[in-house]
């Protein structure tokens, strides 16, 4: 037992010495850099030049490093200088989907649906704060004691959120939702059995026929990925306006106007909300409006847009089922401050929304479209809905992953005439009641 403790202390002492050496070399590098010359160089040329300087500084230090340790030291100093320090290693790994930092010494990642702790650490909270500032300053955001929370996008499109002391008690807390440079395509989602070919045919037809679609789901269920994928069916000539808090959508069309909300400044002024952007978007002659996520009063303006000639619009919202999605929309409409009668509110929702696509993240990590539900209309005070396709969970396998089957309910959508008018022909067999696929 004492031998293990001794080995642990030796390893910890060695790691501390390595960190001190890295910090010393980094400080010397900053003192040595000719900033006027650095400004003239770019990209790989600059990195190559600085690498030579760092290697020379390593030689000047009287240390006993083997080849691997020396290479690691040089790379980490370069990452501190040009990149995001300890995060660089994780950001270069394509299998990492989420990075979660709970203070400087606890860094977790999600890989293939499983959460695991990493050996990555920051020197202290100040080191972590430097990295946070480096990320958010690139997109014009700030974080300090007066504004201790920040939402931003990273260079690769990933969603970045940080909350710092005094709100976060154990040092700064950071969440990075990865959104890779090569977003998942339709074929990838089909290979992962997120949905079936029949479901894709219906969704493609719905988008081409300009149906209004709501994508609902819980956190991390793949709503934004699905919205990105489905947007590929929008014709290239349509004028699209996207509205987001932190720009994540990567639309492939040519005619796209991207808008992003703005938080208030240090005096509490200058905020531009999603509601402001939706109202402005209506004056920009859009053919489709896509809101990254409805989470407040902008929901009412979105429904108004869907009802006033902007068919084919899409948005996402947090909800656990299609029926919950409608209830949540009612709650968010109330946030706009208007005392609308319940029936008027539901009539507005029923006439605006054509289709609700429910995305879910199941036990063990698999993400599925669990419902494609049509909003039929109103019957007295109730919004009438019908499931066209659904996924039924059957159990959990030995590895802890949920499995189940995709089912066609046998209901033919009422909007089939709209699909046919848009030139979309779906075979009758696509809606025949049966088990379409088992996973």
């Amino acid at each position: 037992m004492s031998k293990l403790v001794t080995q642990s202390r030796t390893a910890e002492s060695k790691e501390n010495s390595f960190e001190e050496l890295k910090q010393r070399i980094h400080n010397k590098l900053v003192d040595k850099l000719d900033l006027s010359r650095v400004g003239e160089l770019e990209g790989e040329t600059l990195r190559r030049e600085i690498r030579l300087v760092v290697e020379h500084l390593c030689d000047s230090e009287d240390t006993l490093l083997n080849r691997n340790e020396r290479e690691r030291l040089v790379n980490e100093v370069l990452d501190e200088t040009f990149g995001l320090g300890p995060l660089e290693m994780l950001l270069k790994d394509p299998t990492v989907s989420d990075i979660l930092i709970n203070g400087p010494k606890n860094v977790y990642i999600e890989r293939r649906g499983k959460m695991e702790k990493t050996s990555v650490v920051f020197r202290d909270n100040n080191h972590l704060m430097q990295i946070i500032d480096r990320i958010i300053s690139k997109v014009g955001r700030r974080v300090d004691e007066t504004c201790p929370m920040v939402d931003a996008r990273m260079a690769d499109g990933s969603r970045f959120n940080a909350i710092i002391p005094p709100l976060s008690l154990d040092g700064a807390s950071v969440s990075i939702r990865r959104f890779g440079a090569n977003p998942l395509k339709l074929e990838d989602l089909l290979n992962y059995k997120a949905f079936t070919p029949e479901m894709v045919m219906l969704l493609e037809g719905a988008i081409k026929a300009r149906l209004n679609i709501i994508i609902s789901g819980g956190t991390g269920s793949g709503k934004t990925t699905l919205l990105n994928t489905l947007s590929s069916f929008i014709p290239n000539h349509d004028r699209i306006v996207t509205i987001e808090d932190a720009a994540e959508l990567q639309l492939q069309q040519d005619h796209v106007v991207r808008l992003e909300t703005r938080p208030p400044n240090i005096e509490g002024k200058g905020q531009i909300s999603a509601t402001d952007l939706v109202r402005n978007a209506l004056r920009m002659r859009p053919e489709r409006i896509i809101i990254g996520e409805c989470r407040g009063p902008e929901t009412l303006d979105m429904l108004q847009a869907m009802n006033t000639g902007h068919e084919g619009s899409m948005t996402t919202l947090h909800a656990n089922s299609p029926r919950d999605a409608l209830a949540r929309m009612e709650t968010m409409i109330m946030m706009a401050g208007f005392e609308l009668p319940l029936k008027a509110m539901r009539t507005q929702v029923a006439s605006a929304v054509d289709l609700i696509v429910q995305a879910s993240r199941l036990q063990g990590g698999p993400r599925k479209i669990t419902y494609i539900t049509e909003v039929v209309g109103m019957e007295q005070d109730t919004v009438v809905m019908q499931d066209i396709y659904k996924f039924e969970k059957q159990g959990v396998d030995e590895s802890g992953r949920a499995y189940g089957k995709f089912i066609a309910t046998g209901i033919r959508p009422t909007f089939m005439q709209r699909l046919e008018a848009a030139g979309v022909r779906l075979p009758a067999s696509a809606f025949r009641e049966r088990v379409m696929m088992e996973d």
Side-chain angles (χ1 to χ4, degrees), residues 360-374:
S360 298
R361 178 180 171 172
L362 306 180
Q363 187 175 335
R367 294 168 172 88
K368 308 282 183 189
I369 290 184
T370 48
Y371 290 96
I372 296 182
T373 301
E374 180 189 8

Side-chain angles (χ1 to χ4, degrees), residues 175-230:
S175 310
I176 300 174
R177 306 284 304 282
R178 296 296 305 283
F179 206 83
N182 300 312
L184 291 174
K185 294 186 171 57
L186 189 66
E187 298 77 26
D188 300 320
L189 295 180
L190 281 168
N191 289 338
Y192 292 143
K193 297 183 178 179
F195 41 51
T196 68
E198 294 90 343
M199 295 162 90
V200 174
M201 283 164 50
L202 177 64
L203 292 172
E204 180 179 2
I207 289 169
K208 289 181 176 173
R210 303 182 69 87
L211 269 62
N212 294 321
I213 299 174
I214 304 286
I215 298 172
S216 71
T219 300
S221 59
K223 299 185 299 297
T224 306
T225 300
L226 185 57
L227 183 57
N228 257 328
T229 307
L230 296 182

